[in-house]
Amino acid sequence: MKPRVRFAPSPTGYLHIGGLRTALYNYLFAKNQNGKLILRIEDTDRKRFVEGAIENLIDTLTWAGISFDEGPVMGGEYAPYLQSERLHLYKQLVEKLVLEGKAYYCFCTPERLEKLKEEQQKLKLPQAKYDKHCLHLSKNEIDEKLISNIPYVIRLNVKPDKKIIFNDVIRETVEFDTNNIDDQVLLKSDGFPTYHLANVVDDHLMKITHVIRGEEWLSSTPKHVILYDYFGWEKPIFAHLPLLLNPDKSKLSKRQGDVAVEDYRDKG
Ligand code: GLU
């Protein structure tokens, strides 16, 4: 089978130099293997959305000579390639998980969640985790709240005391303990999916064979592996690329001037 890989940026401003490196690896792998490279715009975080950022991403990638076989401009068999135009798919699929007990409605208020976090911080727990409060609501309680239009999110039901083990091309065997994995929000109260849900659904529906992305996503991968298993879908091959660093091994500065591809271009 010919590989299908994707570059999946979020339109939050400019193309990060690390993003261009990820795009380049995907591009070279697709070319080398006679595969296809897909551009997918992950615009599900409305708070971080920046006007003009999609056009800017496409212009910068075009300038860098990275061409795509499918994407928002040229279309393709698996269109649309803008996640904000695929909301019905995420909703439909996450509701299926709810029916199967693999995900659940959560009506907790921001105030309750904040209090929970503070309590957990006082106990010096390594990370704040949702306490599964709403997992124990009865069907009637849930229906009543839905009818009364109480805002809700849908969360992943992570089973405790299990090991999530997967293979990464670069890291080889990677293991996570489910006790350290939060019941991740999959669908937000604005009806948009989170990155995790949309990313897994689209990689599956768009028949992506290899997920090649930055190492900063490695800690999200166990959540994705749980989702693939819950949906009963075959997992892609994962390759998490080490981060780009300064010569002194420090992280690249967040100041836009040091990390935006367009600045390197403008400086010649
Ligand atoms: N939207 C994510 C980003 O902004 C994509 C991560 C991934 O490739 O899964 O980098």
Side-chain angles (χ1 to χ4, degrees), residues 39-50:
L39 177 64
R40 183 174 73 226
I41 303 293
E42 302 208 324
D43 57 345
T44 60
D45 190 344
R46 303 320 281 175
K47 287 192 225 88
R48 291 181 65 212
F49 184 79
V50 173

Side-chain angles (χ1 to χ4, degrees), residues 28-256:
L28 292 175
F29 180 68
K31 283 274 173 262
N32 175 268
Q33 300 287 314
N34 242 325
K36 294 265 187 275
L37 175 62
I38 289 101
L39 177 64
R40 183 174 73 226
I41 303 293
E42 302 208 324
D43 57 345
T44 60
D45 190 344
R46 303 320 281 175
K47 287 192 225 88
R48 291 181 65 212
F49 184 79
V50 173
E51 210 50 60
I54 298 179
E55 294 74 15
N56 180 278
L57 275 170
I58 293 173
D59 286 353
T60 313
L61 288 163
T62 309
W63 167 80
I66 309 270
S67 54
F68 293 87
D69 300 294
E70 296 167 29
V73 179
M74 70 291 289
E77 205 180 323
Y78 302 92
Y81 293 90
L82 237 55
Q83 289 189 325
S84 58
E85 293 174 4
R86 303 170 62 81
L87 300 186
H88 59 288
L89 294 169
Y90 312 124
K91 191 154 193 291
Q92 196 181 316
L93 284 161
V94 81
E95 279 170 359
K96 186 169 160 278
L97 292 187
V98 172
L99 287 178
E100 294 168 353
K102 295 166 180 165
Y104 60 96
Y105 288 101
C106 171
F107 301 91
C108 286
T109 59
E111 292 73 33
R112 179 174 188 277
L113 296 176
E114 192 49 43
K115 224 174 118 215
L116 184 68
K117 206 165 135 192
E118 278 166 22
E119 280 162 17
Q120 293 183 342
Q121 272 164 358
K122 266 191 219 135
L123 293 171
K124 298 223 176 339
L125 297 185
Q127 75 188 107
K129 261 177 72 187
Y130 182 62
D131 61 356
K132 290 189 183 278
H133 176 79
C134 289
L135 179 62
H136 310 294
L137 294 175
S138 69
K139 170 121 189 22
N140 279 348
E141 285 172 310
I142 295 171
D143 287 346
E144 265 170 33
K145 287 180 194 292
L146 289 176
I147 290 166
S148 321
N149 277 325
I150 303 203
Y152 67 86
V153 300
I154 295 181
R155 289 182 182 272
L156 181 66
N157 185 9
V158 179
K159 303 273 153 53
D161 305 325
K162 295 224 173 343
K163 296 254 177 284
I164 303 294
I165 301 169
F166 58 89
N167 198 66
D168 181 87
V169 172
I170 295 154
R171 296 290 199 106
E172 300 183 342
T173 306
V174 185
E175 191 177 310
F176 285 85
D177 186 328
T178 55
N179 293 332
N180 298 325
I181 303 176
D182 196 13
D183 278 6
Q184 176 66 49
V185 172
L186 299 175
L187 195 78
K188 296 178 276 189
S189 54
D190 62 1
F192 276 75
T194 53
Y195 154 71
H196 306 280
L197 175 66
N199 190 270
V200 167
V201 165
D202 286 347
D203 281 344
H204 171 72
L205 294 179
M206 296 179 179
K207 299 206 164 58
I208 300 302
T209 56
H210 298 69
V211 167
I212 306 171
R213 63 184 167 201
E215 195 166 62
E216 68 269 33
W217 302 102
L218 187 66
S219 60
S220 297
T221 309
K223 294 175 183 174
H224 302 179
V225 168
I226 295 175
L227 277 169
Y228 281 105
D229 290 345
Y230 278 3
F231 281 122
W233 295 340
E234 198 186 324
K235 288 181 274 297
I237 292 170
F238 294 107
H240 287 90
L241 309 172
L243 297 179
L244 283 183
L245 300 175
N246 289 314
D248 66 357
K249 299 213 166 74
S250 61
K251 260 184 93 172
L252 282 191
S253 158
K254 289 235 167 52
R255 277 184 301 124
Q256 175 164 346

